[in-house]
Amino acid sequence: MSSEAVIDSTGALLRTLIRERFAGRIALVSAFGAESAVLLHLAAGIDPGLPVIFLDTGKLFPETLAYRDALAARLGLTDLRIARPDPGLLGIADPAGSLWRRDPDRCCDLRKVMPLDAALAPFDAWISGRKRFQGGDRAALEAVEFGTDWRIKINPLANWTEADIDAYFARHDLPPHPLRAAGYRSIGCVPCTRAARAGEAPRAGRWDGSGKTECGIHNSPSFAERALA
Ligand code: SF4
């Protein structure tokens, strides 16, 4: 399928989801990372008032925070929601801010999974920007998933290629994340992200050497299920 056809079908899907099927009940979750501008631009063209949830873990690159603000302004996003970890829980579980070193799964749970659970509470569905070409578990990504909670998760870029992403950036003159120029292809928290090396998979620089490949927001049981466990 050509890039134009991929873009057209993705736009049509997003329009149906945002304006009809889940009108007022859907949010987009974005890290404002290396490729996020594509999905944000598509969504803003349909409804700039679409709620956009950003997880501020407290460990992000300052470049990401600056990019978030600049890109949100450029796209005219009017409902950017910043989700942060519970300071009381952090004070108990990670008072020194070094939990990532000894238990990254727990750190991601506190700083990402739980805040996202809370931020998604008003919504029945959410939109994620994952793609199959990112590899790992994402290689078999479905366009629509049913979460372990009851929410529906839509991955409208699942079948996009890197060439499609690059073409979209060029066509719409979208600004790149400032760390792209330094070789970062997937950008998360400072302690758990390094620049990609030549020939590596796009997400190889995340949790390098730990065996961890995902933060947990895409494969974690819901907060309610964890509370009952
Ligand atoms: S990516 Fe690293 S620092 Fe960020 S929440 Fe997960 S373990 Fe903690």
Side-chain angles (χ1 to χ4, degrees), residues 183-207:
Y184 289 80
R185 295 177 66 196
S186 176
I187 303 161
C189 294
V190 175
C192 306
T193 306
R194 66 159 171 78
R197 300 181 185 119
E200 281 188 333
R203 288 174 57 82
R206 305 290 295 277
W207 303 284

Side-chain angles (χ1 to χ4, degrees), residues 51-215:
V52 174
I53 297 171
F54 174 82
L55 291 168
D56 185 350
T57 64
K59 297 287 186 185
L60 298 174
F61 289 91
E63 290 90 341
T64 297
L65 303 180
Y67 183 60
R68 174 201 65 194
D69 293 342
L71 190 57
R74 153 92 182 259
L75 299 178
L77 299 173
T78 60
D79 193 1
L80 179 61
R81 305 184 183 193
I82 314 295
R84 294 187 172 89
D86 182 303
L89 287 178
L90 278 187
I92 295 168
D94 192 14
S98 57
L99 185 59
W100 62 270
R101 202 187 304 272
R102 61 183 184 282
D103 191 345
D105 285 340
R106 179 67 177 144
C107 184
C108 279
D109 202 38
L110 284 170
R111 295 179 181 273
K112 293 187 174 185
V113 178
M114 295 173 75
L116 182 60
D117 268 333
L120 284 175
F123 303 104
D124 294 337
W126 58 293
I127 302 166
S128 127
R130 292 176 299 159
K131 280 82 59 181
R132 292 186 193 121
F133 77 74
Q134 292 174 310
D137 292 345
R138 303 185 181 197
L141 185 66
E142 300 286 346
V144 179
E145 299 174 297
F146 295 91
T148 50
D149 58 7
W150 44 266
R151 271 184 206 89
I152 295 172
K153 179 167 35 175
I154 298 109
N155 309 302
L157 306 186
N159 66 339
W160 283 48
T161 65
E162 281 192 277
D164 294 331
I165 296 286
D166 292 344
Y168 195 94
F169 262 86
R171 178 187 300 184
H172 296 283
D173 193 25
L174 294 175
H177 189 295
L179 292 176
R180 283 302 301 260
Y184 289 80
R185 295 177 66 196
S186 176
I187 303 161
C189 294
V190 175
C192 306
T193 306
R194 66 159 171 78
R197 300 181 185 119
E200 281 188 333
R203 288 174 57 82
R206 305 290 295 277
W207 303 284
D208 185 28
S210 72
K212 181 176 169 68
T213 59
E214 294 283 347
C215 66

